[in-house]
Amino acid sequence: MMEFAVMIMAVSVAVLVVYLVMTLKKLQTSLDTANQTLGEARDAIHSWKGDVQGLVVSVKDLTNQVNRQIDAVDPLMASVRDMGEAIHEVTSSAKEVTESWMGKLRSQAQKASIATKGSWMDWVEAGVKAYHVVRSASKVLQTSPQAVEALQQEVRKDIHEIERDVLKKDRLSGHGGAVTLG
């Protein structure tokens, strides 16, 4: 019986060894497959690495180009802002000058109506000259800052002509009061 027990143990050990060998072979096959998959993944990563590096370089170049273009636009925007401020200043100045001239013209017209009871032609002539003054002032609003001084001189000339005409009419009508706009 002992021999029989030893034999059963020997057969059991042999079956266990065969089972372990088969399991180890399957494990070896699985490890080989995993190794092969890791090798393929490594190769793929190495091939992608170049593509990714190229993409990174392209993105950096694109970023640099965008930054250069933004830097190029900044002075233009500053110039536009400065021009807007200059136009605003010219417009404000022209508005003040126009308001001042119109006030003086109204005052002159009131004094002229009190001093003289002229014909309707005198009023038409004064209206035409006032129109020229207003037109000259509107030109100031539409022109560049360089032309403002020339237009102001033109308007002053027109105002002096109106004053001279009013003085003539005062002398002709016998009124001695002089009225000035400037």
Side-chain angles (χ1 to χ4, degrees):
M1 215 110 148
M2 181 88 149
E3 289 179 6
F4 184 68
V6 171
M7 180 144 7
I8 289 179
M9 277 177 60
V11 170
S12 297
V13 169
V15 170
L16 183 61
V17 168
V18 169
Y19 179 74
L20 283 176
V21 167
M22 287 175 37
T23 304
L24 287 176
K25 281 188 176 185
K26 285 182 181 179
L27 181 63
Q28 181 65 35
T29 304
S30 295
L31 286 176
D32 288 342
T33 304
N35 244 357
Q36 184 180 1
T37 304
L38 285 175
E40 290 172 1
R42 189 177 317 123
D43 292 342
I45 288 172
H46 284 295
S47 68
W48 293 345
K49 182 180 176 185
D51 292 341
V52 169
Q53 286 175 341
L55 181 63
V56 167
V57 168
S58 296
V59 168
K60 283 182 183 178
D61 289 345
L62 182 62
T63 302
N64 289 336
Q65 288 176 356
V66 168
N67 286 336
R68 282 193 301 272
Q69 289 177 354
I70 288 173
D71 290 343
V73 171
D74 282 344
L76 174 65
M77 296 313 275
S79 296
V80 168
R81 183 180 54 248
D82 292 344
M83 181 180 258
E85 290 173 3
I87 289 172
H88 177 71
E89 289 177 17
V90 168
T91 305
S92 297
S93 298
K95 182 179 176 186
E96 290 173 11
V97 168
T98 303
E99 288 173 356
S100 171
W101 288 333
M102 290 305 295
K104 289 179 182 179
L105 282 175
R106 284 188 191 113
S107 172
Q108 181 69 30
Q110 287 174 350
K111 289 179 183 178
S113 70
I114 292 171
T116 62
K117 300 289 181 186
S119 68
W120 65 274
M121 286 300 287
D122 293 337
W123 286 106
V124 169
E125 186 179 345
V128 168
K129 288 183 180 179
Y131 166 76
H132 287 294
V133 169
V134 170
R135 189 185 76 205
S136 297
S138 71
K139 284 181 185 178
V140 168
L141 294 172
Q142 297 172 356
T143 60
S144 65
Q146 294 82 10
V148 171
E149 183 64 31
L151 291 174
Q152 285 176 344
Q153 289 176 357
E154 182 180 323
V155 170
R156 286 186 192 119
K157 185 178 113 185
D158 290 342
I159 290 172
H160 288 299
E161 285 180 20
I162 293 172
E163 287 176 351
R164 188 176 53 224
D165 290 343
V166 170
L167 286 175
K168 275 187 201 175
K169 290 177 187 170
D170 282 345
R171 286 187 194 127
L172 291 175
S173 67
H175 294 31
V179 178
T180 60
L181 292 176

